[in-house]
Amino acid sequence: ISFLSKSELFKKILNIHGAIIEGGVLFGGSTMAWAHFSSIYEPINLTRKIIGFDTFEGFPELSGKDRSAASDHVQPGDLAANTFDELNTLAEIHDSTRFLGHIPKVTLIKGDAVETIPEFVEEHPHLLVSLLYLDFDLYEPTKKCLELIKPYITKGTVIGFDELNHSSYPGETLALKEVFGLDAFKITRMPHSPCPSYITIE
């Protein structure tokens, strides 16, 4: 179900120039899905990079904006997945079997995104973003990512979310509200899965 949703999102940015930024990698299912879709639908697009940010150690500290009556069970360290080395190996295997595979497709950035995203955008002034997919679940990294990536999006950029309107993770909705507003875009849900939704920059 999630794979189908990601496929539909990818199709929306096929003709939009830029990288795919993923906030929150966990086990890497979405990260590698983006890589596979790029190989299938656009095998010669050597500038389509997949860049994933994650602590790979679970949630960092939670903000007060991550708390609600339904979020008491959410704690620092939740959703830890020590998959960094494994996913890098999988990305290398994927490159070894695709066209133009000598040019790496996937880059994983390990650490707290509040700290690593500023460093990344400073080091990549050429960056354009075609798809920003946010699955941090939390307020601070989601807001920081939206603020810092905003200058690199264009008309047609898709911003996807995994926990909008989710009572256990209110921070994601609050971050969108504060950076873009909730009345500026139509928030479209994916029919294949209950959680994913997206906005398109017009």
Side-chain angles (χ1 to χ4, degrees), residues 125-144:
H126 66 280
L127 181 67
L128 291 176
V129 177
S130 58
L131 171 62
L132 172 62
Y133 194 81
L134 293 165
D135 196 7
F136 286 125
D137 302 351
L138 303 181
Y139 169 78
E140 288 192 0
T142 302
K143 184 176 182 182
K144 193 73 170 181

Side-chain angles (χ1 to χ4, degrees), residues 66-192:
D66 294 309
R67 293 302 183 189
S68 71
S71 69
D72 286 345
H73 65 286
V74 180
Q75 301 296 329
D78 283 357
L79 297 181
N82 186 19
T83 56
F84 181 76
D85 291 337
E86 178 183 0
L87 289 174
N88 276 312
T89 299
L90 289 174
E92 290 176 3
I93 293 171
H94 176 71
D95 286 340
S96 73
T97 61
R98 67 175 179 83
F99 189 61
L100 298 178
H102 63 290
I103 302 172
K105 178 66 67 176
V106 175
T107 300
L108 298 176
I109 311 294
K110 185 177 183 179
D112 187 340
V114 172
E115 300 173 358
T116 58
I117 293 176
E119 296 173 1
F120 180 84
V121 296
E122 184 176 349
E123 294 170 1
H124 297 81
H126 66 280
L127 181 67
L128 291 176
V129 177
S130 58
L131 171 62
L132 172 62
Y133 194 81
L134 293 165
D135 196 7
F136 286 125
D137 302 351
L138 303 181
Y139 169 78
E140 288 192 0
T142 302
K143 184 176 182 182
K144 193 73 170 181
C145 189
L146 285 170
E147 290 174 336
L148 290 171
I149 297 300
K150 192 174 182 179
Y152 302 95
I153 64 177
T154 67
K155 287 186 177 181
T157 295
V158 172
I159 304 178
F161 302 88
D162 209 61
E163 274 79 30
L164 285 187
N165 194 41
H166 198 305
S167 59
S168 294
Y169 303 102
E172 189 169 295
T173 302
L174 291 172
L176 173 61
K177 182 178 180 180
E178 292 178 12
V179 179
F180 280 98
L182 296 181
D183 59 351
F185 304 94
K186 178 174 70 174
I187 300 174
T188 306
R189 62 173 298 274
M190 303 301 296
H192 311 292

Side-chain angles (χ1 to χ4, degrees), residues 22-96:
E22 183 173 54
V25 172
L26 195 61
F27 300 116
S30 297
T31 311
M32 295 310 300
W34 308 129
H36 281 295
F37 296 144
S38 183
S39 298
I40 294 167
Y41 293 122
E42 48 176 24
I44 64 170
N45 189 356
L46 55 87
T47 65
R48 180 85 75 197
K49 303 298 185 181
I50 319 298
I51 302 145
F53 294 87
D54 203 297
T55 66
F56 295 97
E57 297 177 352
F59 291 154
E61 290 298 317
L62 277 66
S63 160
K65 294 189 177 183
D66 294 309
R67 293 302 183 189
S68 71
S71 69
D72 286 345
H73 65 286
V74 180
Q75 301 296 329
D78 283 357
L79 297 181
N82 186 19
T83 56
F84 181 76
D85 291 337
E86 178 183 0
L87 289 174
N88 276 312
T89 299
L90 289 174
E92 290 176 3
I93 293 171
H94 176 71
D95 286 340
S96 73

